Short mmCIF file of all heavy atoms in Angstrom, two decimals:
data_model
loop_
_atom_site.label_atom_id
_atom_site.label_comp_id
_atom_site.label_asym_id
_atom_site.label_seq_id
_atom_site.Cartn_x
_atom_site.Cartn_y
_atom_site.Cartn_z
N GLY A 63 -18.88 -9.51 11.80
CA GLY A 63 -18.65 -10.84 12.18
C GLY A 63 -17.28 -11.07 12.73
O GLY A 63 -16.72 -10.06 13.23
N LYS A 64 -16.87 -12.27 12.78
CA LYS A 64 -15.48 -12.48 13.48
C LYS A 64 -14.68 -13.41 12.55
O LYS A 64 -15.24 -14.14 11.69
CB LYS A 64 -15.70 -13.12 14.84
CG LYS A 64 -16.23 -14.45 14.90
CD LYS A 64 -16.17 -15.03 16.33
CE LYS A 64 -16.48 -16.47 16.46
NZ LYS A 64 -17.87 -16.81 16.10
N VAL A 65 -13.41 -13.30 12.73
CA VAL A 65 -12.45 -14.16 12.01
C VAL A 65 -11.87 -15.15 13.04
O VAL A 65 -11.02 -14.74 13.87
CB VAL A 65 -11.36 -13.29 11.35
CG1 VAL A 65 -10.35 -14.30 10.60
CG2 VAL A 65 -11.93 -12.28 10.38
N ALA A 66 -12.33 -16.37 13.02
CA ALA A 66 -11.93 -17.36 13.99
C ALA A 66 -10.65 -18.09 13.49
O ALA A 66 -10.26 -18.12 12.33
CB ALA A 66 -13.07 -18.31 14.21
N PHE A 67 -9.96 -18.62 14.49
CA PHE A 67 -8.73 -19.41 14.19
C PHE A 67 -8.97 -20.85 14.56
O PHE A 67 -9.46 -21.19 15.68
CB PHE A 67 -7.51 -18.91 14.98
CG PHE A 67 -6.22 -19.72 14.70
CD1 PHE A 67 -5.56 -19.45 13.56
CD2 PHE A 67 -5.77 -20.63 15.54
CE1 PHE A 67 -4.41 -20.18 13.27
CE2 PHE A 67 -4.62 -21.29 15.26
CZ PHE A 67 -3.90 -21.06 14.11
N GLU A 68 -8.74 -21.78 13.62
CA GLU A 68 -8.94 -23.19 13.85
C GLU A 68 -7.54 -23.78 14.19
O GLU A 68 -6.63 -23.58 13.42
CB GLU A 68 -9.54 -23.82 12.58
CG GLU A 68 -9.91 -25.29 12.74
CD GLU A 68 -10.39 -25.84 11.45
OE1 GLU A 68 -11.23 -25.22 10.71
OE2 GLU A 68 -10.00 -27.02 11.11
N GLY A 69 -7.58 -24.58 15.27
CA GLY A 69 -6.33 -25.26 15.64
C GLY A 69 -5.78 -24.72 16.96
O GLY A 69 -6.36 -23.77 17.54
N ALA A 70 -4.63 -25.21 17.31
CA ALA A 70 -3.94 -24.77 18.58
C ALA A 70 -3.35 -23.39 18.33
O ALA A 70 -2.62 -23.24 17.41
CB ALA A 70 -2.91 -25.81 19.01
N ALA A 71 -3.68 -22.50 19.20
CA ALA A 71 -3.15 -21.09 19.04
C ALA A 71 -1.66 -21.14 19.27
O ALA A 71 -1.19 -21.58 20.30
CB ALA A 71 -3.74 -20.22 20.09
N PRO A 72 -0.87 -20.64 18.35
CA PRO A 72 0.56 -20.56 18.52
C PRO A 72 0.99 -19.46 19.50
O PRO A 72 0.30 -18.54 19.72
CB PRO A 72 1.07 -20.22 17.03
CG PRO A 72 -0.07 -19.50 16.42
CD PRO A 72 -1.31 -20.07 16.98
N THR A 73 2.15 -19.72 20.13
CA THR A 73 2.67 -18.69 21.03
C THR A 73 3.60 -17.81 20.28
O THR A 73 4.63 -18.26 19.78
CB THR A 73 3.39 -19.33 22.24
OG1 THR A 73 2.51 -20.26 22.85
CG2 THR A 73 3.81 -18.29 23.28
N PRO A 74 3.29 -16.53 20.13
CA PRO A 74 4.22 -15.64 19.31
C PRO A 74 5.57 -15.45 20.07
O PRO A 74 5.63 -15.32 21.22
CB PRO A 74 3.44 -14.32 19.20
CG PRO A 74 2.38 -14.40 20.24
CD PRO A 74 2.13 -15.74 20.62
N ALA A 75 6.60 -15.47 19.23
CA ALA A 75 7.92 -15.33 19.71
C ALA A 75 8.19 -13.87 20.15
O ALA A 75 7.76 -12.95 19.38
CB ALA A 75 8.99 -15.70 18.72
N PRO A 76 8.86 -13.61 21.22
CA PRO A 76 9.27 -12.24 21.65
C PRO A 76 10.22 -11.67 20.53
O PRO A 76 10.99 -12.46 19.91
CB PRO A 76 9.93 -12.36 22.97
CG PRO A 76 9.68 -13.78 23.47
CD PRO A 76 9.36 -14.53 22.24
N ILE A 77 10.11 -10.39 20.33
CA ILE A 77 11.07 -9.75 19.43
C ILE A 77 12.52 -9.81 19.92
O ILE A 77 12.74 -9.57 21.15
CB ILE A 77 10.74 -8.28 19.18
CG1 ILE A 77 9.28 -8.15 18.61
CG2 ILE A 77 11.72 -7.55 18.37
CD1 ILE A 77 9.15 -8.52 17.19
N ASN A 78 13.44 -10.26 19.10
CA ASN A 78 14.82 -10.28 19.49
C ASN A 78 15.41 -8.92 19.00
O ASN A 78 15.64 -8.76 17.77
CB ASN A 78 15.50 -11.49 18.84
CG ASN A 78 16.99 -11.40 19.14
OD1 ASN A 78 17.53 -10.57 19.91
ND2 ASN A 78 17.69 -12.40 18.51
N PHE A 79 15.71 -7.95 19.92
CA PHE A 79 16.18 -6.66 19.46
C PHE A 79 17.68 -6.67 19.18
O PHE A 79 18.22 -5.62 18.82
CB PHE A 79 15.83 -5.66 20.54
CG PHE A 79 14.38 -5.24 20.63
CD1 PHE A 79 13.65 -5.63 21.70
CD2 PHE A 79 13.79 -4.53 19.62
CE1 PHE A 79 12.25 -5.30 21.77
CE2 PHE A 79 12.49 -4.19 19.62
CZ PHE A 79 11.66 -4.64 20.77
N GLY A 80 18.29 -7.82 19.26
CA GLY A 80 19.71 -7.98 18.87
C GLY A 80 20.57 -6.94 19.65
O GLY A 80 20.46 -6.79 20.87
N ALA A 81 21.39 -6.23 18.86
CA ALA A 81 22.37 -5.32 19.50
C ALA A 81 21.68 -3.95 19.75
O ALA A 81 22.28 -3.06 20.30
CB ALA A 81 23.53 -5.16 18.57
N GLU A 82 20.43 -3.87 19.39
CA GLU A 82 19.81 -2.48 19.53
C GLU A 82 19.23 -2.27 20.89
O GLU A 82 18.03 -2.41 21.12
CB GLU A 82 18.70 -2.37 18.45
CG GLU A 82 19.24 -2.42 17.04
CD GLU A 82 20.04 -1.20 16.63
OE1 GLU A 82 19.81 -0.14 17.26
OE2 GLU A 82 20.89 -1.37 15.73
N ARG A 83 20.11 -2.09 21.84
CA ARG A 83 19.77 -1.95 23.24
C ARG A 83 18.73 -0.78 23.49
O ARG A 83 17.81 -0.96 24.34
CB ARG A 83 21.00 -1.77 24.16
CG ARG A 83 21.65 -3.05 24.47
CD ARG A 83 22.71 -2.88 25.51
NE ARG A 83 22.31 -2.18 26.74
CZ ARG A 83 21.55 -2.64 27.70
NH1 ARG A 83 21.10 -3.87 27.60
NH2 ARG A 83 21.31 -1.90 28.73
N GLN A 84 18.90 0.27 22.75
CA GLN A 84 17.92 1.38 22.94
C GLN A 84 16.49 0.88 22.64
O GLN A 84 15.59 1.41 23.31
CB GLN A 84 18.25 2.45 21.84
CG GLN A 84 19.23 3.53 22.33
CD GLN A 84 19.55 4.56 21.22
OE1 GLN A 84 19.99 4.23 20.14
NE2 GLN A 84 19.12 5.78 21.54
N CYS A 85 16.33 0.09 21.75
CA CYS A 85 14.94 -0.43 21.48
C CYS A 85 14.43 -1.30 22.53
O CYS A 85 13.37 -1.11 23.11
CB CYS A 85 14.97 -1.25 20.16
SG CYS A 85 15.28 -0.23 18.71
N ALA A 86 15.28 -2.24 23.15
CA ALA A 86 14.96 -3.06 24.17
C ALA A 86 14.64 -2.33 25.45
O ALA A 86 13.66 -2.63 26.15
CB ALA A 86 16.04 -4.10 24.43
N LEU A 87 15.35 -1.25 25.73
CA LEU A 87 15.10 -0.44 26.90
C LEU A 87 13.80 0.25 26.85
O LEU A 87 13.31 0.66 27.96
CB LEU A 87 16.29 0.64 27.00
CG LEU A 87 17.64 0.04 27.40
CD1 LEU A 87 18.72 1.16 27.33
CD2 LEU A 87 17.59 -0.47 28.90
N MET A 88 13.19 0.42 25.66
CA MET A 88 11.84 1.02 25.63
C MET A 88 10.72 0.07 26.07
O MET A 88 9.62 0.41 26.12
CB MET A 88 11.62 1.62 24.28
CG MET A 88 12.43 2.83 23.98
SD MET A 88 11.90 3.62 22.43
CE MET A 88 13.04 2.98 21.27
#
Side-chain angles (χ1 to χ4, degrees):
K64 67 174 191 294
V65 180
F67 181 78
E68 185 183 316
T73 305
I77 298 287
N78 177 4
F79 288 110
E82 298 291 335
R83 278 188 49 77
Q84 270 182 296
C85 294
L87 285 171
M88 287 190 263

